[in-house]
Amino acid sequence: MNVETISTEALGDRGYLVHDGGSALVVDPQRDFDRVEDLAARLGVRITHVAETHVHNDYVTGGLALARHHHATYLVAAAEDVSFERHPVHPGDQFAVGTMTVTAVATPGHTEHHLAYVVEHEGQRAVFSGGNLLFGSVGRTDLVAPDKTADLTRAQYRSARALADHAGDDATLHPTHGFGSFCSSGPAVVADSSTIAEQRRSNHALTDPDEHHFVRTLIDNLSAYPSYYSHMAPLNLRGPAAPDLSVPQPLRADELKARIANGQWVVDLRDRVAFAARHLSGTVGIEYGNSFTTYLGWTLPWGEPITLVGSEADVRAAIRDLSRIGIDRPDAAIGDPAHGIAPGHPLVGYRRATWPELTRQKQPPIVLDVRRADEHRAGHVAGCVHIPLHDLVRRLDEVPAGEVWVHCASGYRAGIAASLLHRARHDVVHVDGDWAQAADAGVPITTP
């Protein structure tokens, strides 16, 4: 048995292709499943089964389209009310994938009908745990409904332990979440591999003997998660089609200028330093990288038209990434926004600064903290205004008049916030620095 990992670092998730040299099972594939097909082709294996551990809340699945493309059996929990044909899976069901045996195990908690899959082959066992057992923790339990969180957390504690007992200490563990995904909770850690035996020593779901204490601790430490999550499960229940990852015909200069003039969301993909120095007036800067998808989806209003502006390579990559959260076929203008892409349209910029520069101001400036509420509670600039980035668009009228110095934990989110503020005619300074260095620079910090 061989287990191949398909990582999606931008969303903090992993999918898997497990095979015996001839037949393959794919677990929790992302929507851009061409990566899975390319891997299967290189390995010379045939995809016969595709399995979902749960109806995902953080991305649009590629499972249905992949299964149809390969005439594979699509395994989805029988209890899920989906709008497409699949093989309905009940806990305890077994499937033969080539010479491998796959057993479905009930693991409610992350979602109500969550399943794990234990694959056995020639004395080896591998556990595909989805959002149940992660490395060091478990999947979060508050994504289904607020009034079900406590019950699901209790279920998560019990099912994690039952899964560990079922699989046995020698089994390798392969979770879907826990690599930066907001679907993880508690002390989840990023690692290349783990086993059930290792998790028995380090995972608080398996080391905490007090269920009540585990439930209370996990719920107390749940933080905000992206607003676009609310759209993922409905899309997955309907059965997503394969994405169109082609780059559209680039917009003409007059079309781009008209969209900016009409107040549409025109997103500059360049790094935050270049954007601050010089950009098309009325655009928003969301630097392309591993955090791009999460914060675009979390910050801009869902369903409104988006136009991407940047190099062809960045636009192509952004189209792929956005398809994973159901944002399909954004329009694009290809080129450097600061050099001739929209002749005659005003080019503007704003200041970037460091923490020491903040302390050298004659009068304490207005400071806007755009981190999450849990980050802010742990310590913040004395007297600052706090509006999380994901709330900023709808709360722009709460930002005080005058020069505003905006910061986050690293400078990335503050760059997005600064662009939004500047677009809304605020005088803004982007504090592009590490929050851990603020106190050492002499910034007055309020702590709990």
Side-chain angles (χ1 to χ4, degrees), residues 4 33 146 167 275 288 398 429 441 446:
E4 302 287 344
F33 60 82
F275 183 87
Y288 181 73
E398 297 178 31
V429 178
T446 298

Side-chain angles (χ1 to χ4, degrees), residues 150-188:
D151 287 342
L152 286 173
T153 308
R154 284 188 285 271
Q156 187 77 304
Y157 178 82
R158 296 168 189 171
S159 60
R161 291 170 160 250
L163 178 61
D165 290 341
H166 178 97
D169 287 358
D170 292 339
T172 56
L173 181 65
H174 308 274
T176 300
H177 305 311
F179 311 100
S181 169
F182 281 90
C183 273
S184 60
S185 67

Side-chain angles (χ1 to χ4, degrees), residues 136-139 141 152-158 160-161 185 187 203-221:
S137 188
V138 292
T141 55
L152 286 173
T153 308
R154 284 188 285 271
Q156 187 77 304
Y157 178 82
R158 296 168 189 171
R161 291 170 160 250
S185 67
N203 193 309
H204 67 141
L206 304 180
T207 60
D208 191 338
D210 186 338
E211 179 180 319
H212 178 73
H213 175 264
F214 171 85
V215 170
R216 184 178 67 250
T217 302
L218 187 143
I219 292 175
D220 286 349
N221 285 284

Side-chain angles (χ1 to χ4, degrees), residues 6 17 53 98 155 176 197 271 279 345 428:
I6 303 101
L17 185 148
T53 57
T176 300
D271 69 76
H279 60 269
H345 191 85
V428 65

Side-chain angles (χ1 to χ4, degrees), residues 8-22:
T8 305
E9 294 182 5
L11 296 179
D13 291 320
R14 292 178 182 176
Y16 300 94
L17 185 148
V18 53
H19 69 93
D20 62 359

Side-chain angles (χ1 to χ4, degrees), residues 1-5 15-19 39 119 126-128 172 174:
M1 175 171 60
N2 299 280
V3 178
E4 302 287 344
T5 302
Y16 300 94
L17 185 148
V18 53
H19 69 93
L39 176 59
V119 182
V127 181
F128 299 90
T172 56
H174 308 274

Side-chain angles (χ1 to χ4, degrees), residues 73-84:
T73 302
Y74 190 34
L75 306 177
V76 178
E80 296 291 3
D81 186 17
V82 298
S83 302
F84 49 84

